[in-house]
Amino acid sequence: EAQVTQNPRYLITVTGKKLTVTCSQNMNHEYMSWYRQDPGLGLRQIYYSMNVEVTDKGDVPEGYKVSRKEKRNFPLILESPSPNQTSLYFCASSWGTSGVRYNEQFFGPGTRLTVL
Amino acid sequence: GQQVMQIPQYQHVQEGEDFTTYCNSSTTLSNIQWYKQRPGGHPVFLIQLVKSGEVKKQKRLTFQFGEAKKNSSLHITATQTTDVGTYFCAGLSYGGATNKLIFGTGTLLAVQP
């Protein structure tokens, strides 16, 4: 089944404790992206990747890191989480080197993160 | 920077009533996509509009892209309880980066049986 998977689905952590949220897709998509969703703000892009070893900042990259060493995986790293990073996070992927201009995005199930 | 606003933020309707959500961009868009997110779920792609003035239909859903490519709308005829969820538009600025969709703030639709 074609899908985007994220782990963990739920995470409660404390300020400053490094964490990684994994994202994997089995559709051989070139483009992958991370979003955070907050009430009243919609979905805001954190980072995106056009292909292996090619990443770029979205609209809210501060406090996050990403890497794209393999085509299927795009982990999101929070080196020192803070309470303002409490949010619902979605990973998404789409095919094609033209990015999202003409291609639908497939979203993972989401990771709900709480930073105390 | 580019902003995409959606109105209303929330709409409550009786089953069978119509529903419309509007999406407005501060800049001209090259294309716009619509997504639906069921409660507790993830966004799911509905449709993409590319041409000025384009109108597309999916059963009871009608999508429009404005002539100036700065606004779009989603209209649902005779809502059903299965239509419950948040509807997002997402657009790419004309001439801007090819890789960054800007999502609207979303419209939450509640349907009372």
Side-chain angles (χ1 to χ4, degrees):
Chain A
E1 179 189 356
Q3 61 182 345
V4 179
T5 57
Q6 293 179 230
N7 282 292
R9 294 289 313 279
Y10 303 91
L11 179 61
I12 300 174
T13 189
V14 295
T15 298
K17 186 176 181 181
K18 180 179 178 181
L19 67 91
T20 299
V21 183
T22 64
C23 172
S24 183
Q25 49 92 7
N26 62 0
M27 295 170 279
N28 202 36
H29 285 169
E30 286 82 8
Y31 182 94
M32 297 186 75
S33 181
W34 276 103
Y35 294 89
R36 60 178 290 172
Q37 184 175 20
D38 302 291
L41 297 178
L43 289 152
R44 294 180 293 167
Q45 191 176 48
I46 303 170
Y47 269 95
Y48 65 92
S49 169
M50 292 297 293
N51 215 322
V52 175
E53 303 293 0
V54 181
T55 63
D56 206 349
K57 297 177 180 179
D59 293 314
V60 288
E62 293 77 21
Y64 305 94
K65 286 176 58 177
V66 293
S67 68
R68 187 92 181 272
K69 293 183 171 53
E70 302 169 284
K71 195 173 186 179
R72 63 183 293 128
N73 297 322
F74 190 45
L76 179 69
I77 303 157
L78 284 71
E79 294 270 2
S80 183
S82 62
N84 65 11
Q85 293 178 298
T86 292
S87 187
L88 178 59
Y89 291 87
F90 287 103
C91 180
S93 72
S94 65
W95 64 271
T97 54
S98 62
V100 294
R101 181 171 289 280
Y102 297 116
N103 304 315
E104 68 177 279
Q105 290 192 92
F106 294 83
F107 282 81
T111 295
R112 187 165 291 281
L113 172 66
T114 301
V115 183
L116 302 174
Chain B
Q2 180 190 4
Q3 289 185 326
V4 178
M5 302 299 295
Q6 267 184 268
I7 54 170
Q9 276 194 309
Y10 172 79
Q11 179 109 43
H12 177 262
V13 300
Q14 296 283 332
E15 190 171 22
E17 292 182 336
D18 291 357
F19 160 78
T20 304
T21 174
Y22 300 91
C23 183
N24 295 290
S25 170
S26 58
T27 60
T28 302
L29 301 171
S30 63
N31 61 307
I32 195 159
Q33 299 177 353
W34 284 90
Y35 290 80
K36 176 184 178 181
Q37 183 179 22
R38 294 182 185 275
H42 58 275
V44 175
F45 176 82
L46 292 176
I47 208 161
Q48 176 168 258
L49 304 171
V50 179
K51 299 176 184 176
S52 170
E54 189 170 13
V55 178
K56 287 188 175 180
K57 292 189 176 185
Q58 289 180 348
K59 297 183 180 178
R60 296 177 295 104
L61 277 61
T62 302
F63 303 85
Q64 289 189 311
F65 201 8
E67 293 290 341
K69 301 184 78 173
K70 295 184 74 172
N71 57 72
S72 181
S73 65
L74 158 59
H75 179 81
I76 302 178
T77 303
T79 54
Q80 300 175 357
T81 54
T82 53
D83 295 325
V84 164
T86 301
Y87 293 85
F88 291 100
C89 63
L92 271 162
S93 280
Y94 184 80
T98 61
N99 313 314
K100 294 173 60 173
L101 268 178
I102 304 296
F103 277 80
T105 47
T107 296
L108 174 60
L109 172 64
V111 179
Q112 185 168 354

